[in-house]
Amino acid sequence: MAGARSRNFEGWPLFANSFRPFFLFAAIQAAVSILVWLPMFYGELSVTSAFAPRDWHVHEMLYGFLPAVITGFLFTAIPNWTGRLPIQGTSLGALLVVWLAGRIAVTLSADTGWVFALLVDAAFLALIVAAAAREIMAGGNWRNLPVVALVLVLLAGNIAFHLETHFEGTADIGIRIGIGVVVLLIALIGGRIIPSFTRNWLVKFNPGRLPVPFGRFDGAVIGCSALALISWIVAPLNAVTGVAMTLVGVLHLVRLARWAGDRTFRERLLLILHVGYFFVPLGFLLHALAAFGALPPSAGIHAWMAGAAGTMTLAVMTRASLGHTGQALTASPATQGIYVAIIVAALARVAAVVLPAHSGALLHIAACGWVVAFLGFAIAFGPLLAGSRRRALAIMGVPVPAR
């Protein structure tokens, strides 16, 4: 029934499904934010934000870009979870306006005031939590309430971020809360979709060893991850945190190995999910090294954010955009180019921390890779998301059927 309503939607196709506007605008915001951030980092540009330049950059990635992607995914998945009708049309447009207002309010908060920026910015996640909880409870789909609970914690982290920057001068706990939530969301959602999508493809195209489905081991890994992340949020450089990060990093490597990712090289649309998830254990292990003084803490942070979050969001955005618009689930040359760009960006950003002597060049490579990846998504998939299927296929290099 939800699918029928989407097919019969009579307005602008951009507002027929939540993934359409939020994936598109999230990609544009991700690219523009980095284009602005690099000259800010070198002191060549400033914005009228109450946040310090680093905090503005972190906030707009962590509490601007990622909530938009989460919203696009969540409100596309919920109708499938519950059988209820999707949010679309005017209601969906209103949510997008609230998100955009948050981006403007944060960027201009030096003029509009930090309280106003906090209220406008936090309103978006508050609406998402309320709407998602209502839909899941009304549909009796209790097993997915933990996802909403994590988004609620993300809202709390955003509020803490604003309060910290005003009263302490810079954010700290609010950043780690947000990153911790993102890592757990990737572990929870990725742990369900990666083995499921992989199994479906292998059964059809490459019979043999199949991924192990989500089970007790996965639940235990997520539980251990939550405990390790709480320890990291409270005491990131503590030896206990270092031990916990090491153990959890190994557990995630075992988990990833159980999903038969080595058998997906023929389909890049699947392979990228496994590559993206690899940055989760990498982040845990880099944080373990930081806890023992071997590396700066930012190495693990960028493995999680540029690596896991950046790669997984693009993997999910490209797959969902193709699948929910009726396209073949295969990676076109343009899509594969997007994947290469984000992997280069992630590796270069982590390497910039590990190899400080080359940080300048590596930062520029990372920024260029990130912009190419997300701007590339907006260019290649934007027409498809907005309703122009033929133009999108032509941009992606896919043969366009004759009329």
Side-chain angles (χ1 to χ4, degrees):
M1 188 175 181
R5 177 175 167 182
S6 295
R7 288 194 296 271
N8 296 331
F9 181 71
E10 296 180 354
W12 186 11
L14 183 66
F15 295 103
N17 313 88
S18 62
F19 71 90
R20 292 175 180 267
F22 280 109
F23 285 179
L24 178 58
F25 279 86
I28 294 171
Q29 193 251 357
V32 171
S33 293
I34 295 302
L35 284 172
V36 172
W37 162 240
L38 203 58
M40 285 177 66
F41 179 77
Y42 287 106
E44 299 167 354
L45 180 69
S46 62
V47 295
T48 54
S49 176
F51 293 166
R54 185 213 65 155
D55 286 345
W56 178 87
H57 162 65
V58 173
H59 184 275
E60 287 309 284
M61 291 290 100
L62 187 55
Y63 293 113
F65 156 64
L66 285 173
V69 178
I70 291 168
T71 299
F73 170 82
L74 191 59
F75 286 114
T76 300
I78 284 176
N80 295 327
W81 295 345
T82 64
R84 290 171 59 81
L85 297 175
I87 295 175
Q88 55 187 182
T90 303
S91 299
L92 183 56
L95 284 177
L96 180 65
V97 168
V98 174
W99 178 78
L100 289 170
R103 312 286 54 78
I104 296 170
V106 167
T107 302
L108 302 180
S109 55
D111 292 333
T112 61
W114 75 275
V115 174
F116 178 78
L118 165 60
L119 294 175
V120 174
D121 186 40
F124 176 72
L125 278 172
L127 288 172
I128 299 307
V129 169
R134 178 198 67 194
E135 292 299 304
I136 287 176
M137 288 188 289
N141 188 258
W142 306 103
R143 67 189 293 265
N144 285 305
L145 270 180
V147 176
V148 180
L150 285 174
V151 180
L152 180 61
V153 178
L154 190 65
L155 169 60
N158 192 17
I159 294 171
F161 192 109
H162 282 268
L163 294 174
E164 275 190 290
T165 53
H166 179 71
F167 291 107
E168 302 293 334
T170 188
D172 186 13
I173 297 294
I175 291 176
R176 292 201 293 274
I177 290 173
I179 293 173
V181 169
V182 170
V183 172
L184 285 177
L185 281 170
I186 292 173
L188 179 61
I189 296 172
R192 291 186 176 178
I193 66 173
I194 296 174
S196 175
F197 293 162
T198 302
R199 172 180 287 270
N200 292 342
W201 184 83
L202 288 175
V203 167
K204 289 182 179 180
F205 301 106
N206 194 12
R209 178 170 53 90
L210 297 175
V212 180
F214 192 98
R216 291 182 179 178
F217 175 77
D218 300 271
V221 173
I222 292 172
C224 292
S225 300
L227 293 175
L229 287 167
I230 291 171
S231 178
W232 173 70
I233 291 169
V234 175
L237 301 180
N238 186 278
V240 174
T241 299
V243 172
M245 288 284 178
T246 302
L247 293 175
V248 172
V250 172
L251 286 174
H252 277 286
L253 286 175
V254 173
R255 191 184 191 209
L256 181 60
R258 287 155 50 95
W259 294 340
D262 58 294
R263 306 191 63 234
T264 64
F265 279 82
R266 284 167 45 193
E267 182 46 72
R268 308 298 193 271
L269 201 70
L270 271 177
L271 179 62
I272 191 63
L273 289 166
H274 295 266
V275 173
Y277 196 89
F278 170 75
F279 285 99
V280 172
L282 179 62
F284 277 104
L285 295 174
L286 290 175
H287 276 298
L289 291 173
F292 294 115
L295 282 178
S298 57
I301 289 175
H302 289 299
W304 279 339
M305 298 307 293
T311 307
M312 287 294 289
T313 53
L314 278 170
V316 170
M317 287 160 62
T318 49
R319 185 183 183 91
S321 297
L322 292 172
H324 287 281
T325 56
Q327 314 307 313
L329 288 177
T330 190
S332 68
T335 303
Q336 294 181 51
I338 290 169
Y339 296 161
V340 171
I342 192 60
I343 292 170
V344 168
L347 294 175
R349 190 62 190 90
V350 174
V353 180
V354 178
L355 304 171
H358 305 285
S359 63
L362 289 168
L363 281 175
H364 281 83
I365 292 172
C368 288
W370 182 275
V371 171
V372 167
F374 283 96
L375 198 57
F377 174 86
I379 293 171
F381 285 82
L384 184 65
L385 297 173
S388 179
R389 177 177 179 271
R390 293 180 64 84
R391 184 182 175 195
L393 294 178
I395 291 173
M396 288 188 280
V398 178
V400 181
R403 289 185 182 277

Coordinates of all heavy atoms in Angstrom, one line a residue, residues 51 54-55 58-64 67 70 103 106 114 117-118 121-123 125-126 129 148-166 170-182 185 232-233:
F51 N 30.2 29.4 16.4 CA 31.2 28.3 16.6 C 32.5 28.7 16.1 O 32.7 29.4 15.1 CB 30.7 27.1 15.8 CG 29.4 26.4 16.3 CD1 28.8 25.5 15.5 CD2 28.9 26.7 17.5 CE1 27.6 24.9 15.9 CE2 27.7 26.1 18.0 CZ 27.1 25.2 17.2
R54 N 36.8 25.1 13.6 CA 36.8 23.6 13.7 C 35.4 23.1 14.1 O 34.9 22.1 13.6 CB 37.8 23.1 14.7 CG 38.0 21.6 14.7 CD 38.3 21.1 16.1 NE 37.3 21.3 17.1 CZ 37.2 20.6 18.2 NH1 38.0 19.6 18.4 NH2 36.2 20.8 19.1
D55 N 34.8 23.7 15.1 CA 33.5 23.3 15.6 C 32.4 23.4 14.5 O 31.5 22.6 14.4 CB 33.1 24.0 16.9 CG 33.9 23.6 18.1 OD1 34.6 22.5 17.9 OD2 33.9 24.2 19.1
V58 N 33.0 20.5 12.1 CA 32.5 19.2 12.8 C 31.0 19.1 12.9 O 30.4 18.1 12.5 CB 33.2 19.0 14.1 CG1 32.6 17.8 14.8 CG2 34.7 18.9 14.0
H59 N 30.4 20.2 13.3 CA 29.0 20.3 13.5 C 28.2 20.0 12.2 O 27.2 19.3 12.1 CB 28.5 21.6 14.1 CG 27.0 21.6 14.4 ND1 26.1 21.9 13.5 CD2 26.3 21.3 15.6 CE1 24.9 21.9 14.1 NE2 25.0 21.5 15.3
E60 N 28.7 20.7 11.1 CA 27.9 20.6 9.9 C 28.1 19.2 9.2 O 27.2 18.8 8.4 CB 28.3 21.7 8.9 CG 27.8 23.1 9.4 CD 26.3 23.0 9.6 OE1 25.5 23.0 8.7 OE2 25.9 23.0 10.8
M61 N 29.2 18.5 9.6 CA 29.3 17.1 9.1 C 28.5 16.2 10.0 O 27.7 15.3 9.5 CB 30.8 16.7 9.1 CG 31.6 17.4 8.0 SD 31.2 16.8 6.3 CE 30.2 18.2 5.8
L62 N 28.6 16.3 11.3 CA 28.1 15.4 12.2 C 26.6 15.6 12.5 O 25.8 14.7 12.6 CB 28.9 15.5 13.5 CG 28.6 14.5 14.7 CD1 28.7 13.1 14.2 CD2 29.5 14.8 15.8
Y63 N 26.2 16.9 12.6 CA 24.8 17.2 13.0 C 24.0 17.9 11.9 O 22.9 18.3 12.1 CB 24.8 18.0 14.2 CG 25.2 17.3 15.5 CD1 26.4 17.6 16.1 CD2 24.5 16.2 16.0 CE1 26.8 16.9 17.3 CE2 24.9 15.5 17.1 CZ 26.1 15.8 17.7 OH 26.5 15.1 18.8
G64 N 24.7 18.1 10.7 CA 24.0 18.6 9.6 C 23.8 17.6 8.5 O 22.7 17.2 8.1
P67 N 22.5 13.7 9.8 CA 21.1 13.6 10.0 C 20.2 13.6 8.8 O 19.1 13.0 8.8 CB 20.8 14.8 11.0 CG 22.1 15.0 11.7 CD 23.1 14.7 10.6
I70 N 20.4 10.1 7.4 CA 19.7 9.2 8.3 C 18.2 9.4 8.1 O 17.5 8.4 8.0 CB 20.1 9.5 9.7 CG1 21.5 9.1 10.0 CG2 19.1 8.8 10.7 CD1 22.1 9.6 11.3
R103 N 20.8 24.7 9.0 CA 22.1 25.0 8.4 C 22.4 26.5 8.4 O 23.5 27.0 8.7 CB 22.2 24.4 7.0 CG 21.7 23.0 6.8 CD 22.7 21.9 7.4 NE 23.0 22.1 8.8 CZ 22.3 21.8 9.8 NH1 21.1 21.3 9.7 NH2 22.7 21.9 11.1
V106 N 22.9 28.0 12.1 CA 24.2 27.7 12.7 C 25.3 28.5 12.0 O 26.1 29.1 12.7 CB 24.5 26.2 12.5 CG1 26.0 25.9 12.8 CG2 23.6 25.3 13.4
W114 N 23.1 32.3 19.8 CA 23.3 30.9 19.9 C 22.0 30.2 20.3 O 21.8 29.0 19.9 CB 24.4 30.6 20.9 CG 24.1 30.8 22.4 CD1 24.1 32.0 23.0 CD2 23.6 29.8 23.3 NE1 23.7 31.8 24.3 CE2 23.4 30.5 24.5 CE3 23.4 28.5 23.2 CZ2 22.9 29.8 25.7 CZ3 22.9 27.8 24.3 CH2 22.7 28.5 25.6
A117 N 20.0 29.6 17.2 CA 20.6 28.6 16.4 C 20.3 27.2 17.0 O 20.0 26.2 16.3 CB 22.1 28.8 16.3
L118 N 20.4 27.1 18.3 CA 20.2 25.8 19.0 C 18.7 25.4 18.8 O 18.5 24.2 18.4 CB 20.4 26.0 20.5 CG 19.9 24.9 21.4 CD1 20.5 23.5 21.1 CD2 20.2 25.2 22.9
D121 N 18.1 24.5 15.0 CA 18.9 23.3 14.6 C 18.4 22.1 15.3 O 18.2 21.0 14.6 CB 20.4 23.6 15.0 CG 21.3 22.4 14.5 OD1 21.1 22.0 13.4 OD2 22.2 22.1 15.2
A122 N 18.1 22.1 16.6 CA 17.6 20.9 17.3 C 16.2 20.5 16.9 O 15.8 19.4 17.0 CB 17.7 21.2 18.8
A123 N 15.4 21.5 16.3 CA 14.0 21.2 16.0 C 14.0 20.1 14.9 O 13.0 19.2 15.0 CB 13.4 22.4 15.4
L125 N 16.0 17.3 14.4 CA 16.1 16.0 14.9 C 14.9 15.6 15.9 O 14.5 14.5 16.0 CB 17.4 15.8 15.6 CG 18.6 15.5 14.7 CD1 19.9 15.5 15.5 CD2 18.5 14.1 14.1
A126 N 14.4 16.6 16.6 CA 13.3 16.4 17.4 C 12.1 16.0 16.6 O 11.3 15.0 17.0 CB 13.0 17.7 18.2
V129 N 12.7 12.3 15.4 CA 12.5 11.3 16.5 C 11.0 11.1 16.7 O 10.5 10.0 16.8 CB 13.2 11.8 17.8 CG1 12.7 10.9 19.0 CG2 14.7 11.7 17.6
V148 N 15.5 4.5 16.6 CA 14.9 5.8 17.0 C 15.6 6.2 18.3 O 15.9 7.4 18.5 CB 13.4 5.7 17.2 CG1 12.8 7.0 17.6 CG2 12.7 5.2 15.9
A149 N 15.9 5.3 19.2 CA 16.5 5.6 20.4 C 17.9 6.2 20.2 O 18.3 7.2 20.8 CB 16.7 4.4 21.3
L150 N 18.6 5.7 19.2 CA 19.9 6.2 18.8 C 19.8 7.6 18.2 O 20.7 8.5 18.5 CB 20.7 5.3 17.9 CG 21.2 4.0 18.5 CD1 21.8 3.1 17.4 CD2 22.3 4.3 19.5
V151 N 18.8 7.8 17.4 CA 18.6 9.2 16.9 C 18.3 10.2 18.0 O 18.7 11.3 18.0 CB 17.5 9.2 15.8 CG1 17.3 10.6 15.3 CG2 17.8 8.2 14.7
L152 N 17.5 9.7 19.0 CA 17.2 10.6 20.2 C 18.5 10.9 20.9 O 18.7 12.1 21.3 CB 16.3 9.8 21.2 CG 15.9 10.6 22.4 CD1 15.2 11.9 22.1 CD2 15.0 9.7 23.3
V153 N 19.5 10.0 21.0 CA 20.8 10.3 21.7 C 21.5 11.3 20.8 O 22.3 12.1 21.3 CB 21.6 9.0 21.9 CG1 23.0 9.3 22.5 CG2 20.8 8.1 22.8
L154 N 21.4 11.1 19.5 CA 22.0 12.1 18.5 C 21.5 13.5 18.8 O 22.3 14.5 18.8 CB 21.8 11.6 17.1 CG 22.6 12.4 16.0 CD1 24.1 12.1 16.2 CD2 22.1 12.0 14.6
L155 N 20.2 13.6 19.0 CA 19.6 14.9 19.3 C 20.2 15.4 20.6 O 20.6 16.6 20.7 CB 18.1 14.7 19.5 CG 17.3 15.9 20.1 CD1 17.5 17.2 19.3 CD2 15.9 15.6 20.3
A156 N 20.4 14.6 21.6 CA 21.0 15.0 22.9 C 22.4 15.5 22.7 O 22.9 16.5 23.3 CB 20.9 13.9 23.9
G157 N 23.1 14.8 21.8 CA 24.5 15.2 21.5 C 24.6 16.5 20.8 O 25.5 17.4 21.1
N158 N 23.6 16.8 19.9 CA 23.6 18.1 19.2 C 23.3 19.2 20.2 O 23.9 20.3 20.2 CB 22.5 18.1 18.2 CG 22.5 19.2 17.2 OD1 23.6 19.9 17.2 ND2 21.5 19.5 16.5
I159 N 22.4 19.0 21.1 CA 22.1 20.0 22.2 C 23.3 20.3 23.0 O 23.7 21.4 23.3 CB 20.9 19.6 23.0 CG1 19.6 19.6 22.2 CG2 20.7 20.5 24.2 CD1 18.4 19.0 22.9
A160 N 24.0 19.2 23.4 CA 25.2 19.3 24.2 C 26.3 20.0 23.5 O 27.0 20.8 24.0 CB 25.7 17.9 24.6
F161 N 26.4 19.8 22.2 CA 27.3 20.5 21.3 C 27.1 22.0 21.4 O 28.1 22.8 21.6 CB 27.2 20.0 19.9 CG 28.3 20.5 18.9 CD1 29.2 19.5 18.5 CD2 28.4 21.8 18.5 CE1 30.2 19.9 17.6 CE2 29.4 22.2 17.7 CZ 30.3 21.2 17.2
H162 N 25.9 22.5 21.2 CA 25.6 23.9 21.3 C 25.9 24.5 22.7 O 26.5 25.6 22.8 CB 24.1 24.2 21.0 CG 23.8 24.1 19.5 ND1 23.8 25.2 18.7 CD2 23.4 23.0 18.7 CE1 23.5 24.9 17.5 NE2 23.2 23.6 17.5
L163 N 25.5 23.8 23.7 CA 25.8 24.2 25.1 C 27.3 24.3 25.4 O 27.7 25.3 26.0 CB 25.1 23.3 26.1 CG 23.5 23.3 26.0 CD1 23.0 22.3 27.0 CD2 23.0 24.7 26.4
E164 N 28.0 23.3 25.0 CA 29.4 23.3 25.2 C 30.1 24.4 24.5 O 31.0 25.1 25.1 CB 30.0 22.0 24.7 CG 30.0 20.8 25.7 CD 30.8 19.7 25.2 OE1 30.4 19.0 24.2 OE2 31.9 19.4 25.8
T165 N 29.8 24.7 23.3 CA 30.5 25.7 22.5 C 30.2 27.1 23.1 O 31.0 28.0 23.1 CB 30.1 25.7 21.0 OG1 28.6 25.8 20.9 CG2 30.6 24.5 20.3
H166 N 29.0 27.3 23.7 CA 28.7 28.6 24.3 C 29.3 28.7 25.7 O 29.9 29.8 25.9 CB 27.2 28.7 24.4 CG 26.8 30.0 25.1 ND1 26.9 31.3 24.4 CD2 26.3 30.3 26.3 CE1 26.5 32.2 25.2 NE2 26.1 31.7 26.4
T170 N 34.4 25.6 23.2 CA 34.6 24.6 22.2 C 33.8 23.3 22.6 O 33.6 23.1 23.8 CB 36.1 24.3 22.0 OG1 36.2 23.4 20.8 CG2 36.7 23.6 23.2
A171 N 33.5 22.5 21.6 CA 32.7 21.3 21.8 C 33.7 20.1 22.1 O 34.8 20.1 21.5 CB 31.8 20.9 20.7
D172 N 33.3 19.2 22.9 CA 34.2 18.0 23.2 C 33.3 16.8 23.4 O 33.2 15.9 22.5 CB 35.0 18.3 24.5 CG 36.0 17.2 24.8 OD1 36.2 16.3 23.9 OD2 36.5 17.2 25.9
I173 N 32.5 16.8 24.5 CA 31.6 15.6 24.8 C 30.6 15.5 23.7 O 30.2 14.4 23.2 CB 30.9 15.8 26.1 CG1 32.0 15.7 27.2 CG2 29.9 14.7 26.4 CD1 32.7 14.4 27.4
G174 N 30.0 16.7 23.2 CA 29.0 16.6 22.2 C 29.5 16.0 20.9 O 28.7 15.4 20.2
I175 N 30.7 16.2 20.6 CA 31.3 15.6 19.4 C 31.4 14.1 19.5 O 31.0 13.4 18.7 CB 32.7 16.2 19.1 CG1 32.6 17.7 18.7 CG2 33.4 15.4 18.0 CD1 33.9 18.4 18.5
R176 N 31.9 13.7 20.7 CA 32.1 12.2 20.9 C 30.8 11.5 21.0 O 30.6 10.4 20.5 CB 33.0 11.9 22.1 CG 34.4 12.4 21.9 CD 35.4 11.7 22.8 NE 35.2 12.1 24.2 CZ 35.7 13.1 24.8 NH1 36.5 13.9 24.1 NH2 35.5 13.4 26.1
I177 N 29.8 12.1 21.6 CA 28.4 11.5 21.6 C 27.9 11.3 20.2 O 27.4 10.2 19.8 CB 27.4 12.4 22.4 CG1 27.8 12.4 23.9 CG2 26.0 11.9 22.2 CD1 26.9 13.3 24.7
G178 N 28.0 12.3 19.4 CA 27.5 12.2 18.0 C 28.2 11.2 17.2 O 27.6 10.3 16.5
I179 N 29.6 11.1 17.3 CA 30.3 10.1 16.6 C 30.0 8.7 17.1 O 29.8 7.8 16.3 CB 31.9 10.4 16.8 CG1 32.2 11.7 16.0 CG2 32.7 9.2 16.2 CD1 33.7 12.1 16.3
G180 N 29.9 8.6 18.4 CA 29.5 7.3 19.0 C 28.2 6.8 18.4 O 28.0 5.6 18.1
V181 N 27.2 7.7 18.3 CA 25.9 7.3 17.8 C 26.0 6.8 16.3 O 25.4 5.8 15.9 CB 24.9 8.4 17.9 CG1 23.6 8.2 17.1 CG2 24.5 8.7 19.4
V182 N 26.8 7.6 15.5 CA 26.9 7.3 14.1 C 27.6 5.9 14.0 O 27.1 5.1 13.1 CB 27.7 8.4 13.4 CG1 28.1 7.9 12.0 CG2 27.0 9.7 13.3
L185 N 25.0 3.3 14.8 CA 24.0 3.2 13.7 C 24.5 2.4 12.5 O 23.8 1.5 11.9 CB 23.5 4.6 13.2 CG 22.5 5.3 14.1 CD1 22.4 6.7 13.7 CD2 21.2 4.6 14.1
W232 N 34.9 5.6 25.7 CA 35.7 6.5 24.9 C 35.1 7.9 25.1 O 35.8 8.9 25.2 CB 35.6 6.1 23.5 CG 36.2 7.1 22.5 CD1 37.5 7.4 22.4 CD2 35.5 7.9 21.5 NE1 37.6 8.4 21.4 CE2 36.4 8.7 20.9 CE3 34.1 8.0 21.2 CZ2 36.0 9.6 19.9 CZ3 33.7 8.9 20.2 CH2 34.7 9.6 19.5
I233 N 33.8 8.1 25.2 CA 33.1 9.4 25.3 C 33.6 10.0 26.7 O 33.9 11.2 26.8 CB 31.6 9.2 25.3 CG1 31.2 8.9 23.8 CG2 30.9 10.5 25.7 CD1 29.7 8.5 23.7

